[in-house]
Amino acid sequence: MSRWLFLPLLALAGSAGATPPQAASAVMARQPALVVPIVVRRLPHDRAAFTEGLVWHGGALIESVGLEGRSDVRRVDPVSGKVTLRRTIPAAQFGEGLALWKGEAISLTWHDGVAHRWTAATLKPLGTMRYTGEGWGLTSDATSLIRSDGSATLTFHDPATMKVRRTVTVTFAGRALDQLNELEMVDGQVLANVWHQPFIVAIDPRSGVVTRVIDLRAIVAEVGARDPEAVANGIAWDAKTRRLFVTGKRWPTMFEIRLPK
């Protein structure tokens, strides 16, 4: 099922009444399709986890959890939701996004400009790297780590040094889309949670153009979180079996979803 996404995602400036019909039609033509995911199954999730990053590795989920004094990186059994291994992050740091790179898990911090390196299998600490700016979400492609910072910019880093290779501005219907949060690479597209929005956007990493939008409104409504910060955040892709998982901050449930073609 798909339909056209109107303004709720972006709160774009202006009103339909003030837009000439020809211009409104042009904007609509550029808007990506909105797709509604199918929930395949529901799995338990630690409702205390302030989820910032999520990846699939070796039959388990690796999750980065935030908040100062409570941040950690953990391996999680996907069926039971139980934490099987945990490594803490320094108490003064706020853990953020997470990505895999050649057998390592790389986790960001929000304001500290520190990226932690861990072995993905055992979460053994391997050292740190520095970067400039805020750390929100993180993913990787074949050559780079890709970071979001809450703006409309995705930054591509050298995985060995965090040196900036390039940036791209993410646009929706021709306008910059900010508040990009958790990231995951799926079939050559960057999926991104949009902070405080029940949507995931799929982004062409070359152009920055949003190609479609995944509607999580029914899932968010099912969770029924009363905490305004218990937002949708967390995307993991099991490429081998082509399974997609989503969750949120302080959510009691992890959802395996399937997208319509």
Side-chain angles (χ1 to χ4, degrees):
M1 175 183 179
S2 65
R3 56 188 183 273
W4 295 107
L5 179 65
F6 279 79
L7 304 185
L9 176 60
L10 294 179
L12 296 176
S15 65
T19 305
Q22 297 88 346
S25 297
V27 169
M28 285 299 299
R30 295 195 302 270
Q31 288 195 359
L34 179 69
V35 298
V36 178
I38 298 163
V39 175
V40 176
R41 61 175 175 165
R42 296 161 176 83
L43 300 164
H45 180 249
D46 179 3
R47 65 170 61 243
F50 203 75
T51 305
E52 298 291 356
L54 193 69
V55 296
W56 179 271
H57 177 268
L61 291 158
I62 307 178
E63 186 171 5
S64 174
V65 173
L67 299 176
E68 288 93 345
R70 299 174 61 183
S71 295
D72 63 45
V73 174
R74 55 181 67 178
R75 284 186 70 92
V76 179
D77 177 77
V79 176
S80 67
K82 292 183 178 179
V83 177
T84 60
L85 186 63
R86 187 196 315 262
R87 305 291 186 190
T88 60
I89 289 172
Q93 297 177 7
F94 191 121
E96 282 281 355
L98 179 74
L100 295 175
W101 178 259
K102 297 187 182 301
E104 294 185 13
I106 313 294
S107 67
L108 300 177
T109 51
W110 184 18
H111 289 302
D112 297 275
V114 175
H116 293 274
R117 298 170 54 232
W118 321 83
T119 58
T122 65
L123 299 184
K124 176 183 176 182
L126 297 175
T128 61
M129 300 180 290
R130 302 289 307 189
Y131 58 90
T132 300
E134 293 190 1
W136 285 43
L138 193 69
T139 190
S140 61
D141 61 13
T143 61
S144 302
L145 293 173
I146 306 168
R147 175 176 60 94
S148 65
D149 60 7
S151 72
T153 300
L154 293 181
T155 302
F156 292 70
H157 295 269
D158 182 324
T161 64
M162 290 301 282
K163 180 180 178 180
V164 175
R165 287 176 167 165
R166 70 181 181 97
T167 61
V168 66
T169 299
V170 175
T171 59
F172 179 96
R175 303 191 185 190
L177 173 61
D178 64 6
Q179 303 298 296
L180 301 173
N181 206 353
E182 221 274 287
L183 306 177
E184 180 75 359
M185 181 67 72
V186 178
D187 289 341
Q189 299 269 295
V190 176
L191 300 190
N193 286 112
V194 182
W195 190 41
H196 282 168
Q197 294 283 354
F199 301 103
I200 292 172
V201 293
I203 304 161
D204 181 332
R206 294 162 297 182
S207 65
V209 172
V210 172
T211 59
R212 65 174 174 168
V213 178
I214 302 167
D215 185 352
L216 298 183
R217 284 178 290 184
I219 288 174
V220 170
E222 178 182 325
V223 171
R226 296 184 179 180
D227 179 351
E229 295 307 318
V231 296
N233 205 50
I235 311 165
W237 173 240
D238 176 5
K240 185 176 181 179
T241 61
R242 301 191 62 78
R243 293 184 298 168
L244 185 63
F245 300 89
V246 298
T247 191
K249 301 177 181 182
R250 296 176 173 149
W251 281 19
T253 310
M254 178 89 61
F255 295 85
E256 181 186 339
I257 62 173
R258 184 172 70 249
L259 302 181
K261 294 182 179 179

